[in-house]
Amino acid sequence: MTVSSATRTAIFIDGANLYATAKALGFDIDFKRLLAEFQCYGTLVRAFYYTAVTEDQEFSSIRPLLDWLDYNGFTVVTKPTKEFIDAHGHRKVKGNMDIELTVNAMELADRVDHIVLFSGDGDFRSLVKAVQRRGVRVTVISTISSHPPMIADELRRQADVFTDLMELQSKLGRDPSPRTAPREANQHTTHYVQRRAPSGGGNVPAETRT
């Protein structure tokens, strides 16, 4: 990835989408490495991380990750998930963060030169077109290396630059943990698993959903 040292960059991470993409490729994201990597390219104006959370859980193991991100240079944007019953009587959980990400990106578009979007969601094509009309270059990071690909074709075509996450594994991936497999939470909806790490600048907690 080639970016001028004078470039002002903002990062927008669709948390659930990035998790699913990394899982499809078989590795976890090290967010400390991710932040450091993009701080090497010009001025990093802001790094946003978006995810929905289930508030009625006594303990959500995604919380250590969100707390770490919040204390270590990321702007964390969350909202509660919503439960509903579909037409077949099945309980569903909804937690879409597209609107929040889009609003923040449009607010920053006049103050940055480059936006990096970690998502493969085709709904973001209109956002990408809108910020491009304001002169902002957009790099989209997802993957076509999985089967099926995790990025919508229309989003990939709209981006100024598409980078396959697989190509960044050596820079952004977590080192394999020597510890045993983490315990899986027993829930009926989205499952979160926490990889615990020592405090004080140790490994970053990982968001894991099954």
Side-chain angles (χ1 to χ4, degrees), residues 3-207:
V3 179
S4 166
S5 60
T7 300
R8 299 167 299 170
T9 299
I11 298 173
F12 294 86
I13 300 173
D14 178 349
N17 195 283
L18 175 59
Y19 161 73
T21 301
K23 182 178 180 181
L25 296 176
F27 67 93
D28 292 326
I29 298 296
D30 186 321
F31 289 94
K32 183 187 295 185
R33 287 181 174 180
L34 186 154
L35 197 65
E37 176 69 17
F38 285 95
Q39 286 172 337
C40 294
Y41 302 107
T43 300
L44 182 58
V45 176
R46 195 68 59 86
F48 290 93
Y49 183 93
Y50 300 84
T51 190
V53 294
T54 304
E55 291 195 331
D56 61 354
Q57 293 176 245
E58 182 176 345
F59 173 77
S60 172
S61 58
I62 193 178
R63 182 53 58 186
L65 172 62
L66 300 183
D67 288 343
W68 187 95
L69 293 172
D70 205 24
Y71 280 111
N72 288 275
F74 289 84
T75 299
V76 177
V77 182
T78 66
K79 73 177 180 183
T81 56
K82 295 182 178 180
E83 291 188 13
F84 65 97
I85 305 299
D86 67 14
H88 302 288
H90 298 140
R91 176 175 172 264
K92 299 289 185 179
V93 178
K94 180 180 180 181
N96 191 303
M97 300 294 295
D98 291 6
I99 293 176
E100 288 78 5
L101 191 156
T102 297
V103 169
N104 291 152
M106 292 302 296
E107 288 175 340
L108 274 183
D110 292 333
R111 289 177 278 173
V112 298
D113 309 299
H114 180 215
I115 282 177
V116 179
L117 174 63
F118 281 84
S119 183
D121 189 341
D123 289 344
F124 287 125
R125 181 188 181 188
S126 294
L127 168 63
V128 172
K129 289 177 65 176
V131 298
Q132 285 171 333
R133 287 195 294 267
R134 297 189 179 197
V136 178
R137 287 179 57 80
V138 180
T139 295
V140 172
I141 299 178
S142 184
T143 191
I144 57 172
S145 300
S146 59
H147 301 285
M150 296 297 292
I151 186 169
D153 187 62
E154 61 269 23
L155 179 62
R156 182 185 174 198
R157 290 173 180 269
Q158 188 64 48
D160 294 293
V161 177
F162 166 71
T163 300
D164 199 304
L165 186 62
M166 179 63 81
E167 298 173 6
L168 300 176
Q169 180 177 359
S170 62
K171 295 181 177 181
L172 308 185
R174 284 168 58 91
D175 293 328
S177 173
R179 301 186 179 188
T180 57
R183 177 175 56 86
E184 180 176 333
N186 181 22
Q187 301 171 32
H188 294 291
T189 56
T190 302
H191 293 184
Y192 296 105
V193 178
Q194 176 189 3
R195 288 183 176 84
R196 298 187 180 277
S199 58
N203 291 334
V204 183
E207 175 186 352

